[in-house]
Amino acid sequence: MRPEIIAVLIPVIALMIPIVALLTKHQQRMAEIIHQNQRVQVPASDIQELKSEIQALKEIVHQQAIALDDRSDLRTTTPPPVPDVARRLIEN
C-alpha cells in the first residue's frame, strides 16, 4: 500500500472506533426500551373486558339517573291533604 493511503486510513479508523461504540450503545438502549414496552403491554382481552365493565357501569348510572328523575317528578307534585284529626275523631 502506498504511504499516503495508510496515513489517511489510520486517523479515519481511529475516529471510527468511538462512532461505532456510540452506535452500539444506542442500539442496546433502544432494544431495552422495546423489551420494556413489550412487558408492559396489556392483552387485548383484558382491555375488552375493562371496556365492557365500563359500559355496564355507565348503563347502571344512566338507569339510576332516570330513577332519580322519576322520583323528582313525584316531589314536584302536591302532596295529598293532611287529614283533619279532630274531624275524623268526631265522625267516628
Side-chain angles (χ1 to χ4, degrees), residues 3-62:
E4 301 91 26
I5 294 176
I6 293 174
V8 171
L9 284 178
I10 291 175
V12 169
I13 292 173
L15 291 175
M16 285 180 60
I17 293 172
I19 293 172
V20 170
L22 287 173
L23 290 174
T24 304
K25 186 69 173 174
H26 172 71
Q27 192 173 17
Q28 287 174 347
R29 285 184 191 156
M30 294 305 291
E32 288 174 6
I33 291 171
I34 289 171
H35 289 298
Q36 286 174 353
N37 287 342
Q38 288 178 351
R39 280 186 253 140
V40 174
Q41 288 180 350
V42 178
S45 61
D46 288 349
I47 293 174
Q48 188 60 36
E49 185 178 330
L50 289 172
K51 285 181 180 179
S52 64
E53 286 181 23
I54 290 172
Q55 187 61 34
L57 289 172
K58 283 183 179 179
E59 190 64 34
I60 290 170
V61 168
H62 289 300

Side-chain angles (χ1 to χ4, degrees), residues 65-78:
I66 291 170
L68 287 175
D69 287 344
D70 290 343
R71 285 186 179 179
S72 67
D73 290 343
L74 294 175
R75 283 189 224 140
T76 57
T77 59
T78 57

